[in-house]
Amino acid sequence: MASSTTGDAGKATRPQPRDMAHHINKRVLNQAPSAMKAYGALADSKPGLTSLAGANFFPLQHAHFTLPSFSSLSDVQSAMAGPAAAIHLDKSGDGPGPAGLMDLRTVLQYGLTKSYPQLVDRLIALNELLHGVPHSESAVTATLGNTDGVSKAMTLLVEDGDIVLAEEFEFPASVNAGRAKGATFAPVPLDSEGIVPEALDKILSEWDTKKGKKPHVLLTTPCGQNPTGCVSTPERMDAVYAVAQKHDLVIIEDDPYFPLQYAEYTSDASKRSENLAKARDSLPPLPSTPEKDDARAVAEAFKAHAGVESYLKRDVDGRVVRLDSFSKVFGPGIRLGWASASQQFVERLWRIGEVTTQTPNNMTQALLASYLAEPSAIAAAAGGAAPEQGGWGLAGWLRWLHALRLSYEAKRDFFLDAFYRHVPQDIISTVPARGGMFQWLSVDLSKHPRYDGSNTRELIDELAESLMDAGVLVMPARLFVVESVPGERNDEKLAAFRATFAGSEETIDKGLKLFGDEIRRWFAEGAKK
């Protein structure tokens, strides 16, 4: 894991976060730092040391990566088809070119838990552009993606026997991460605008301690919630954060889909084309080089498109652990993300990393640090000898995210067009997703001839099997239901499926045609084939 706090500028005017030590797992709170890691950090602070501490027989001599050139970042198609820029990582003086932003002699070593400042400093700056700096002790630390981030956050905050609050539908791995730490879960109702704050407040205000200790942790995915696709509005976030303050909750903001936030859906194709053109033109004109770009102006235009915010933005208390990921926007196989929290929480996340994952893959860190760097920074790191290397800078990264999310927004629109064309709306309903990759398809089982008010689970399981037999796969709601007690029945929540619009248009259209046809047949005939 990697970390750094924000700079000193403006600290005096920002609120001091509250002491949250009482939320930290007691074993984690008392865990001592690694003596070897601390000594290594001391050595790293003294350049020019002759090291007798590590090996150096590494066969990899040179790594060469290509990326779309900065000049092609107007849309995804241009970026993929356009000219390529290069990123080199060499051992200084040994490879075919200059060393680049980072030297392979360093990258191929073990690394320290805090990891590389070349990456972390970029992530801090990106956070500031997108979320601001809410308090005086904001910090960032790298993770191996959001599954790792959630697992570490649960290790940080959960004691054996704790009850964690979570949205009533949740990504199963996140719930399993809490259960692995000894927690159980209590579901919080959702609607199309995210967590219902009145319901959250009622749960906590009326908490019966006979059920267990009052919850102090809330797990939420506010943008493109998986599986329902809902997006929390700024007003909802204000209200939920106020409830968290009232009841002293820590919010784990698991937000891997934050870059994929969309404007409202319209069925008018010409209006959509007009809106898409306006969205592409909403960013400042693309300059000739990253150094000439205005990252703040690009960030403001990026945020204005859909208006989705974060809990981190309003976290004056230091009660949010925010998790971001490169998986959805760069590639899931790179296993890299970052956690943003108070320095108090981040320092303990380092201790967790020291005895688990140690640090994210160094090559991945070096690659992403290079993408996020301006070419001039790479040249400076290489002693002025790498002007041809092609970092995008933060503005270029945001331009890529904007182009990517417009492509996914078009896929969402295509999915909804096909849904309304192929699927009977008197049986299946959906609310257009405002973020993420998923559409939540609700089933009105009351239209089925064998529905008796008590057999939702049996009928939905039968329908899921019939759909697979018909050649289409969707994920039944029961896979995502948060149960207070594992195995308890929440049958009234089960009449829904999750579908994705991340595939090809051909797959989407074919899949929804098969889905609609089988829905009509199954409801008409009242049985499987």
Side-chain angles (χ1 to χ4, degrees):
M1 303 177 81
S3 172
S4 179
T5 56
T6 57
D8 292 333
K11 272 194 172 186
T13 62
R14 298 182 192 123
Q16 182 76 16
R18 296 191 176 195
D19 182 359
M20 294 288 169
H22 59 289
H23 286 289
I24 298 174
N25 176 287
K26 292 182 179 61
R27 291 186 296 274
V28 173
L29 188 64
N30 294 319
Q31 184 176 332
S34 164
M36 284 189 66
K37 296 291 184 184
Y39 201 72
L42 175 63
D44 273 5
S45 70
K46 298 179 180 296
L49 287 178
T50 299
S51 175
L52 300 179
N56 207 21
F57 287 125
F58 304 135
L60 183 63
Q61 298 295 320
H62 172 71
H64 180 89
F65 301 92
T66 58
L67 67 157
S69 67
F70 178 77
S71 63
S72 69
L73 294 179
S74 57
D75 60 75
V76 169
Q77 288 72 29
S78 298
M80 294 302 190
I87 287 173
H88 309 299
L89 300 173
D90 293 328
K91 295 177 179 176
S92 295
D94 294 347
L101 184 68
M102 299 185 63
D103 192 318
L104 276 181
R105 295 182 193 275
T106 300
V107 172
L108 293 174
Q109 293 288 352
Y110 279 107
L112 300 173
T113 304
K114 294 183 183 181
S115 198
Y116 298 126
Q118 293 94 328
L119 173 66
V120 174
D121 290 348
R122 294 278 81 191
L123 298 177
I124 290 171
L126 182 62
N127 266 5
E128 194 275 330
L129 288 171
L130 293 176
H131 312 291
V133 183
H135 56 71
S136 61
E137 299 296 332
S138 297
V140 168
T141 184
T143 68
L144 283 72
N146 276 35
T147 299
D148 174 60
V150 170
S151 179
K152 286 187 168 79
M154 292 291 179
T155 302
L156 173 73
L157 298 168
V158 170
E159 302 278 359
D160 188 43
D162 276 0
I163 300 172
V164 174
L165 298 171
E167 293 149 338
E168 59 185 334
F169 298 100
E170 187 57 77
F171 183 55
S174 298
V175 175
N176 289 341
R179 287 179 177 150
K181 315 304 178 189
T184 56
F185 283 79
V188 181
L190 281 172
D191 63 16
S192 62
E193 296 184 351
I195 286 175
V196 179
E198 296 81 7
L200 176 63
D201 184 50
K202 180 178 174 63
I203 289 169
L204 290 165
S205 296
E206 299 178 1
W207 188 262
D208 184 356
T209 55
K210 293 178 181 178
K211 297 189 297 184
K213 187 173 69 172
K214 184 177 177 180
H216 71 108
V217 177
L218 170 66
L219 173 66
T220 178
T221 302
C223 181
Q225 201 269 347
N226 185 2
T228 67
C230 71
V231 167
S232 297
T233 64
E235 295 76 17
R236 278 293 177 86
M237 287 185 168
D238 287 342
V240 169
Y241 191 82
V243 174
Q245 290 179 306
K246 176 182 176 181
H247 294 281
D248 193 22
L249 287 176
V250 174
I251 300 173
I252 301 176
E253 184 177 22
D254 179 20
D255 211 7
Y257 300 100
F258 177 79
L260 305 181
Q261 45 180 268
Y262 315 126
E264 291 185 7
Y265 168 77
T266 174
S267 60
D268 186 332
S270 61
K271 183 67 173 175
R272 268 207 316 256
S273 296
E274 179 184 338
N275 291 343
L276 179 60
K278 287 181 179 178
R280 284 179 175 154
D281 292 340
S282 65
L283 299 189
L286 188 67
S288 57
T289 66
E291 283 85 358
K292 295 180 180 179
D293 215 348
D294 185 339
R296 192 163 299 281
V298 174
E300 291 306 311
F302 176 87
K303 292 186 288 185
H305 177 70
V308 179
E309 296 183 357
S310 67
Y311 285 107
L312 183 67
K313 175 182 177 179
R314 44 196 35 85
D315 185 28
V316 294
D317 293 346
R319 63 176 67 255
V320 171
V321 178
R322 178 178 171 81
L323 304 172
D324 287 277
S325 176
F326 289 104
S327 293
K328 315 304 178 187
V329 295
F330 191 92
I334 65 165
R335 306 315 307 145
L336 188 66
W338 68 101
S340 307
S342 68
Q343 182 65 29
Q344 183 179 40
F345 282 159
V346 164
E347 190 274 336
R348 290 293 97 187
L349 289 172
W350 299 340
R351 306 288 81 82
I352 294 168
E354 285 174 350
V355 296
T356 54
T357 55
Q358 298 225 2
T359 185
N361 181 281
N362 289 347
M363 187 70 77
T364 294
Q365 291 185 66
L367 175 60
L368 266 297
S370 299
Y371 266 78
L372 297 174
E374 278 82 11
S376 59
I378 301 176
E388 81 284 2
Q389 293 211 39
W392 285 344
L394 295 181
W397 177 253
L398 290 170
R399 288 180 183 277
W400 165 251
L401 296 184
H402 185 64
L404 185 66
R405 62 105 169 266
L406 292 181
S407 293
Y408 274 112
E409 185 175 308
K411 282 181 175 289
R412 179 213 55 184
D413 293 346
F414 183 89
F415 181 102
L416 290 167
D417 290 346
F419 173 84
Y420 293 126
R421 186 167 60 249
H422 294 310
V423 179
Q425 274 93 72
D426 60 326
I427 299 173
I428 308 293
S429 61
T430 193
V431 176
R434 291 291 306 278
M437 297 178 174
F438 307 112
Q439 273 300 139
W440 192 240
L441 310 178
S442 299
V443 184
D444 184 358
L445 282 179
S446 68
K447 304 291 177 61
H448 195 272
R450 287 191 286 117
Y451 179 70
D452 63 11
S454 64
N455 58 347
T456 297
R457 182 181 294 259
E458 291 76 13
L459 288 179
I460 284 292
D461 285 349
E462 181 183 304
L463 176 55
E465 185 177 347
S466 289
L467 288 166
M468 280 195 283
D469 290 345
V472 62
L473 177 65
V474 287
M475 309 301 283
R478 65 176 172 80
L479 301 179
F480 306 97
V481 169
V482 172
E483 301 166 333
S484 295
V485 179
E488 75 173 1
R489 293 178 70 100
N490 291 295
D491 290 3
E492 72 281 358
K493 300 179 180 180
L494 300 183
F497 294 97
R498 190 196 77 173
T500 181
F501 48 83
S504 68
E505 291 186 355
E506 179 184 4
T507 298
I508 291 169
D509 190 70
K510 178 182 177 182
L512 286 172
K513 176 68 164 59
L514 291 170
F515 180 83
D517 289 348
E518 182 58 17
I519 289 291
R520 289 186 180 90
R521 186 209 65 79
W522 189 78
F523 272 80
E525 298 179 11
K528 294 190 294 181
K529 289 182 181 177

